[in-house]
Amino acid sequence: MTKNISRVQPANSLVQHARLRRFGVAKLAVAFALFALYVAWHEAHGPGAPRTDESLITQARADDISQLAQTTPTPAAAAGASDLVKRGEYLTRAGDCAACHTVDKARPFAGGLLINTPFGTIVTPNITPDPGTGIGRWSDADFLRAMHEGIGKGGERLYPAFPYAEYTKVTDRDVLAIRAYLNTLTPIHFTPPPNTLKFPFNQRWLMVFWNMFNFDEGRFVPDSKQSAEWNRGAYLVEGLAHCAECHTPRNFTQGLKASSRFSGALQAGWHAYNITSDKNSGVGNWSDNELVSYLSTGVASGRANAAGPMANVVTNSTQYLTREDLDSIVTYLRAVPPISGGETRPRDQWGNPANDDVTALRGMTINAVNGAQLFIANCASCHSWTGQGVGASAPGAYPSLIHNSTVGASDANNLTKVILHGVNRTTKQADVLMPAFGAQLSDEQVAAITNYVTKQFGNPQSTITVDQVAKLRKWPR
Ligand code: HEC
Ligand code: HEC
Ligand code: HEC
């Protein structure tokens, strides 16, 4: 075909050329629109807006299986309904709906999370059963269509900041269980503020293009060559738990790069690490138990602690999963093909204890931007001046910074974010809190501590500049 074009008559060639050019312009316009929308979507998936969503479901939790029983005619039907609701509650957690739909603990699932993008703000809707402002008037078919096709009650296209690209894999039965649970929540009369997207991003029909390139509507299809456990893991990871939304890099249109699944991506300043089975770049050197422990408590002792968006995932979602489901997730992750990011050593195998900084510092005049001094003053009380931490094997302990995945990572983004924003994680084991230092330390000081910590306790090639700290600080938690 291309060969032929070069051989056509000049007159034809002009027509061809004009056509090609028109096609080129159209393609460019579509590509631009897609690109912009993807950027918006991409940003939506980091903590682009604060996700104040710790244990938000607690209040919503037991609304009221007993109440439901009272209004249900027969005891058998009541038992069936309450099983369905319990299952729905579990699945709602697996899908981490609260992460985006609960902003204020006093208004569980009433929406209002502002997802900031360069094109304006997308606001999460109220999904409580309130008939006026929530989804009380939605039929089950409407709800299924939203989850499976990304289409709202009025037929409008939903933005992919709502992860329907993954939820489409969830069975009708599970989607309806989620619906049954949502139906038992206290209806909250609350209308979140409207989206303020600029033209053309306020044009929902543009999602048709987005979907064309990046969305495959359809339920999960089990692979009969794999074990039941693998299939359950695939169903959860690729579906409700939407792990790829953060851990998979995106192509130029901001779609998930199928060839690099789970090889790590940046999300609003945070690095959602490579979790493929690669021994150096991924989690191939972790044991199954360590992965299960990380997902259920946020700690893989001597390797990693969950901070930032991952702390929220553990707090709201993975800590509630059953041992069987966690084992399945791990089985599936183990089977994800290794993808190397070029690291020569696992993130959690860097660093040595400090042995002479304290004596070297004695008698030195205090200098506001000396990393070692700042570390001693701000961090050593909990992590020890040697960096080895305190009580490191207990839940909620102050972990060692040596052999810690965030300190040994190939970039210092997460370490900087941890210093700026602290760590907040609530699990059955512990309320984990590391204070945020963003308010009392300047960008220069944060950079100095970060560079000291990576050099002394982690990967010395990971450094951060003052400008980068300033940029990371601008992202909300
Ligand atoms: C990563 C953030 C995120 C997560 C997680 C999330 N949602 Fe949403 N959801 C959104 C956004 C944003 C919208 C609005 C999209 C729009 O305006 O087009 C939305 C819209 C919806 C809608 C359409 C409501 C309406 O009024 O149009 C429903 C229903 C819904 N979500 C249910 C759920 C359920 C159930 C879960 C958990 C299984 C969930 N969402 C998890 C972000 C999220
Ligand atoms: C909202 C974004 C987000 C989602 C969704 C998410 N992660 Fe993460 N994940 C992160 C970030 C960010 C980190 C790094 C945390 C840190 O530095 O403390 C991380 C870290 C991890 C780690 C530890 C890697 C290491 O070396 O420290 C594992 C394992 C992991 N995630 C697995 C998962 C699994 C499995 C899922 C799905 C059930 C998932 N994540 C969903 C953002 C996310
Ligand atoms: C009041 C005690 C306290 C102080 C002070 C403190 N931390 Fe922490 N730090 C913690 C706790 C608690 C955790 C989280 C432990 C967990 O995840 O179970 C933590 C976690 C970390 C992590 C691991 C995060 C991850 O994602 O893996 C790093 C790195 C870290 N701190 C560095 C620092 C630095 C640098 C300073 C000084 C600027 C500092 N900490 C000051 C208590 C403290």
Coordinates of all heavy atoms in Angstrom, one line a residue, residues 44-45 51 91-92 95-97 99-101 115 122-127 134-135 138 143 146-147 152-153 156-159 161-163 167 178 182 195 204 240 242, ligand 1:
A44 N -6.0 11.0 38.6 CA -7.1 10.6 39.5 C -6.7 9.5 40.4 O -7.2 9.2 41.5 CB -8.3 10.3 38.7
H45 N -5.7 8.7 39.9 CA -5.4 7.5 40.6 C -4.3 7.5 41.6 O -4.1 6.6 42.3 CB -5.2 6.3 39.6 CG -6.5 5.9 39.0 ND1 -7.4 5.1 39.7 CD2 -7.2 6.3 37.9 CE1 -8.5 4.9 39.0 NE2 -8.4 5.7 37.9
R51 N -7.0 11.7 50.2 CA -8.0 10.6 50.4 C -8.1 10.4 51.9 O -7.3 9.6 52.5 CB -7.4 9.3 49.8 CG -7.3 9.3 48.3 CD -6.9 8.0 47.9 NE -7.0 7.9 46.4 CZ -7.0 6.7 45.8 NH1 -6.9 5.6 46.5 NH2 -7.2 6.7 44.5
L91 N -17.0 -7.7 49.5 CA -16.6 -7.4 48.1 C -16.4 -5.8 48.0 O -15.5 -5.4 47.2 CB -17.6 -7.9 47.1 CG -17.7 -9.4 47.1 CD1 -19.0 -9.9 46.4 CD2 -16.5 -10.0 46.4
T92 N -17.2 -5.1 48.7 CA -17.1 -3.6 48.6 C -15.7 -3.2 49.2 O -15.1 -2.3 48.7 CB -18.2 -3.0 49.5 OG1 -19.5 -3.4 48.9 CG2 -18.1 -1.5 49.4
G95 N -13.0 -4.1 46.6 CA -13.0 -3.1 45.6 C -12.6 -1.8 46.0 O -12.4 -0.9 45.2
D96 N -12.4 -1.6 47.3 CA -11.9 -0.3 47.9 C -12.8 0.9 47.5 O -12.3 1.9 47.2 CB -10.4 -0.1 47.5 CG -9.7 0.8 48.6 OD1 -10.4 1.2 49.6 OD2 -8.5 1.0 48.4
C97 N -14.1 0.6 47.4 CA -15.0 1.7 47.0 C -14.9 2.9 47.9 O -15.0 4.1 47.5 CB -16.5 1.2 47.0 SG -16.7 -0.4 46.3
A99 N -12.3 4.2 49.3 CA -11.2 5.0 49.0 C -11.6 6.3 48.2 O -11.0 7.3 48.4 CB -10.1 4.2 48.2
C100 N -12.5 6.1 47.3 CA -12.9 7.3 46.5 C -14.3 7.8 46.9 O -14.6 9.0 46.7 CB -12.9 6.9 45.0 SG -11.3 6.5 44.4
H101 N -15.2 7.0 47.5 CA -16.6 7.5 47.7 C -16.8 7.9 49.1 O -17.9 8.4 49.4 CB -17.6 6.4 47.3 CG -17.7 6.3 45.8 ND1 -18.3 7.2 45.0 CD2 -17.1 5.4 44.9 CE1 -18.2 6.8 43.7 NE2 -17.5 5.7 43.7
I115 N -11.1 15.1 42.8 CA -10.0 14.5 42.1 C -9.5 15.6 41.2 O -10.1 16.0 40.2 CB -10.4 13.3 41.3 CG1 -10.9 12.2 42.3 CG2 -9.2 12.7 40.5 CD1 -11.4 11.0 41.7
I122 N -12.8 16.3 39.0 CA -13.8 15.3 38.9 C -14.2 15.0 40.4 O -13.3 14.9 41.2 CB -13.3 14.0 38.3 CG1 -12.9 14.3 36.8 CG2 -14.4 13.0 38.3 CD1 -12.4 13.1 36.1
V123 N -15.5 15.0 40.7 CA -15.9 14.8 42.0 C -16.7 13.4 42.1 O -17.5 13.1 41.2 CB -16.9 15.9 42.5 CG1 -17.2 15.8 43.9 CG2 -16.3 17.3 42.2
T124 N -16.3 12.6 43.1 CA -17.0 11.3 43.2 C -18.4 11.5 43.7 O -18.7 12.3 44.6 CB -16.3 10.4 44.2 OG1 -16.2 11.0 45.5 CG2 -14.9 10.0 43.7
P125 N -19.4 10.7 43.1 CA -20.8 10.9 43.4 C -21.1 10.1 44.7 O -20.4 9.3 45.3 CB -21.5 10.2 42.2 CG -20.5 9.4 41.6 CD -19.1 9.9 41.9
N126 N -22.3 10.4 45.2 CA -22.9 9.8 46.4 C -23.5 8.4 45.9 O -24.3 8.3 45.0 CB -24.1 10.7 46.8 CG -24.8 10.2 48.0 OD1 -24.7 9.1 48.4 ND2 -25.6 11.1 48.7
I127 N -23.0 7.3 46.5 CA -23.5 6.0 46.2 C -24.3 5.4 47.3 O -24.4 4.2 47.4 CB -22.4 5.1 45.6 CG1 -21.3 4.9 46.6 CG2 -21.9 5.6 44.3 CD1 -20.3 3.7 46.2
G134 N -28.4 10.1 46.0 CA -27.6 8.9 45.8 C -28.0 8.0 44.7 O -28.5 8.5 43.7
I135 N -27.9 6.7 44.9 CA -28.3 5.8 43.8 C -29.6 5.0 44.2 O -29.8 3.9 43.7 CB -27.2 4.9 43.4 CG1 -26.6 4.1 44.5 CG2 -26.0 5.7 42.7 CD1 -25.6 3.0 44.0
W138 N -31.7 3.8 41.4 CA -31.1 3.0 40.4 C -31.6 1.6 40.4 O -31.8 1.0 41.5 CB -29.6 2.9 40.6 CG -28.8 4.2 40.2 CD1 -29.1 5.5 40.5 CD2 -27.6 4.2 39.5 NE1 -28.2 6.3 40.1 CE2 -27.2 5.6 39.4 CE3 -26.8 3.3 38.9 CZ2 -26.0 6.0 38.8 CZ3 -25.6 3.7 38.3 CH2 -25.2 5.1 38.2
F143 N -27.1 -0.4 37.9 CA -25.9 -0.5 38.6 C -24.9 -1.4 37.9 O -23.7 -1.2 37.8 CB -26.2 -1.1 40.0 CG -25.1 -1.1 41.0 CD1 -24.6 0.1 41.6 CD2 -24.4 -2.3 41.3 CE1 -23.5 0.1 42.4 CE2 -23.3 -2.3 42.2 CZ -22.9 -1.1 42.8
A146 N -23.3 0.4 35.1 CA -22.2 1.4 35.5 C -20.9 0.6 35.8 O -19.8 1.0 35.3 CB -22.7 2.1 36.7
M147 N -21.0 -0.5 36.5 CA -19.8 -1.3 36.9 C -19.2 -2.0 35.7 O -18.0 -2.1 35.6 CB -20.2 -2.3 38.0 CG -20.6 -1.7 39.3 SD -19.2 -1.1 40.3 CE -18.5 -2.7 40.9
G152 N -23.6 5.7 33.1 CA -24.4 6.2 34.2 C -25.9 5.9 34.0 O -26.3 5.5 32.9
K153 N -26.7 6.3 35.0 CA -28.1 6.0 34.9 C -28.8 6.6 33.7 O -29.7 6.1 33.1 CB -28.8 6.4 36.2 CG -30.3 6.1 36.2 CD -30.9 6.3 37.6 CE -32.4 6.3 37.6 NZ -33.0 5.1 37.0
E156 N -25.2 8.4 30.3 CA -24.0 9.2 30.1 C -22.7 8.4 30.4 O -22.8 7.4 31.2 CB -24.0 10.5 31.0 CG -23.7 10.2 32.5 CD -24.9 9.7 33.3 OE1 -25.9 9.3 32.7 OE2 -24.8 9.7 34.5
R157 N -21.7 8.7 29.6 CA -20.4 8.0 29.9 C -19.8 8.4 31.1 O -19.7 9.6 31.4 CB -19.4 8.3 28.7 CG -19.9 7.9 27.4 CD -19.5 6.5 27.1 NE -20.4 6.0 26.0 CZ -20.3 4.7 25.5 NH1 -19.4 3.9 26.1 NH2 -21.0 4.3 24.5
L158 N -19.3 7.5 31.9 CA -18.6 7.9 33.2 C -17.1 8.0 32.8 O -16.6 7.4 31.9 CB -18.8 6.8 34.2 CG -20.3 6.7 34.7 CD1 -20.5 5.5 35.6 CD2 -20.8 7.9 35.3
Y159 N -16.4 8.8 33.6 CA -15.0 9.0 33.4 C -14.2 7.8 34.0 O -14.6 7.3 35.1 CB -14.5 10.3 34.1 CG -15.0 11.5 33.4 CD1 -16.0 12.3 34.0 CD2 -14.5 11.9 32.2 CE1 -16.5 13.4 33.4 CE2 -15.0 13.0 31.5 CZ -16.0 13.8 32.1 OH -16.4 14.9 31.5
A161 N -11.8 7.6 35.8 CA -11.3 7.8 37.1 C -12.0 6.8 38.0 O -11.5 6.4 39.1 CB -11.6 9.2 37.6
F162 N -13.2 6.4 37.6 CA -14.0 5.3 38.2 C -13.5 4.0 37.5 O -13.6 3.9 36.3 CB -15.5 5.5 37.9 CG -16.4 4.4 38.2 CD1 -16.3 3.6 39.3 CD2 -17.4 4.0 37.3 CE1 -17.1 2.5 39.6 CE2 -18.3 3.0 37.5 CZ -18.1 2.2 38.6
P163 N -12.8 3.1 38.3 CA -12.1 2.0 37.6 C -13.0 0.9 37.0 O -12.8 -0.2 37.3 CB -11.2 1.5 38.7 CG -11.7 2.0 40.0 CD -12.6 3.1 39.7
Y167 N -13.5 -3.2 36.9 CA -14.8 -3.7 37.5 C -15.6 -4.5 36.5 O -16.4 -5.3 36.8 CB -15.6 -2.6 38.1 CG -15.0 -1.9 39.3 CD1 -15.4 -0.6 39.8 CD2 -14.0 -2.6 40.1 CE1 -14.8 0.0 40.9 CE2 -13.4 -2.0 41.2 CZ -13.8 -0.7 41.6 OH -13.3 -0.1 42.7
I178 N -22.6 -6.4 46.0 CA -22.2 -5.1 46.4 C -23.4 -4.2 46.5 O -23.5 -3.4 47.4 CB -21.1 -4.6 45.4 CG1 -19.8 -5.4 45.5 CG2 -20.8 -3.1 45.6 CD1 -18.7 -5.1 44.5
L182 N -24.7 -2.0 49.6 CA -24.9 -0.5 49.5 C -26.3 -0.1 49.9 O -26.6 0.9 50.5 CB -24.5 0.0 48.1 CG -23.0 -0.1 47.7 CD1 -22.8 0.4 46.3 CD2 -22.1 0.7 48.6
N195 N -18.7 18.5 38.9 CA -17.4 18.5 38.2 C -17.1 19.8 37.6 O -18.1 20.5 37.2 CB -17.4 17.5 37.1 CG -17.4 16.0 37.5 OD1 -17.3 15.7 38.7 ND2 -17.7 15.1 36.6
R204 N -18.6 14.2 27.9 CA -18.5 12.8 28.4 C -18.5 11.8 27.2 O -17.9 10.7 27.3 CB -19.7 12.4 29.2 CG -19.7 13.0 30.6 CD -20.8 12.6 31.5 NE -20.7 13.2 32.9 CZ -20.0 12.5 33.8 NH1 -19.5 11.4 33.6 NH2 -19.9 13.1 35.0
L240 N -11.8 -6.6 41.0 CA -12.2 -5.7 42.0 C -11.0 -4.9 42.7 O -11.1 -3.7 42.9 CB -12.9 -6.5 43.1 CG -14.4 -6.5 43.1 CD1 -15.0 -7.3 44.3 CD2 -15.0 -5.1 43.0
H242 N -8.2 -3.9 41.5 CA -7.6 -3.0 40.6 C -6.2 -2.6 40.9 O -5.8 -1.4 40.8 CB -8.5 -1.8 40.4 CG -8.8 -0.9 41.6 ND1 -9.8 -1.1 42.5 CD2 -8.2 0.3 42.0 CE1 -9.8 -0.2 43.4 NE2 -8.9 0.7 43.1
Ligands
HEC1 C1 -10.3 5.3 42.2 C2 -11.5 6.0 42.6 C3 -12.8 5.1 42.7 C4 -13.0 3.9 43.2 C5 -12.0 3.0 43.9 C6 -14.4 3.6 43.0 N1 -15.1 4.7 42.4 FE1 -17.0 4.8 41.9 N2 -16.7 6.5 40.9 C7 -15.5 7.2 40.9 C8 -15.7 8.4 40.2 C9 -14.6 9.5 40.0 C10 -17.0 8.4 39.7 C11 -17.7 9.5 38.9 C12 -17.3 9.4 37.4 C13 -17.9 10.4 36.6 O1 -18.3 11.5 37.0 O2 -18.0 10.1 35.4 C14 -17.6 7.2 40.2 C15 -18.9 6.8 39.9 C16 -19.5 5.7 40.4 C17 -20.9 5.3 40.1 C18 -21.9 6.1 39.3 C19 -22.7 7.0 40.2 C20 -23.4 8.1 39.5 O3 -24.2 8.8 40.2 O4 -23.3 8.3 38.3 C21 -21.1 4.2 40.9 C22 -22.5 3.4 40.9 C23 -19.9 3.8 41.5 N3 -19.0 4.8 41.2 C24 -19.8 2.8 42.4 C25 -18.6 2.3 42.9 C26 -18.4 1.1 43.6 C27 -19.5 0.1 43.9 C28 -17.1 1.0 43.9 C29 -16.3 -0.2 44.5 C30 -16.5 -1.5 43.9 C31 -16.4 2.2 43.4 N4 -17.4 3.0 42.8 C32 -15.1 2.5 43.5 C33 -14.3 6.8 41.6 C34 -14.1 5.6 42.2

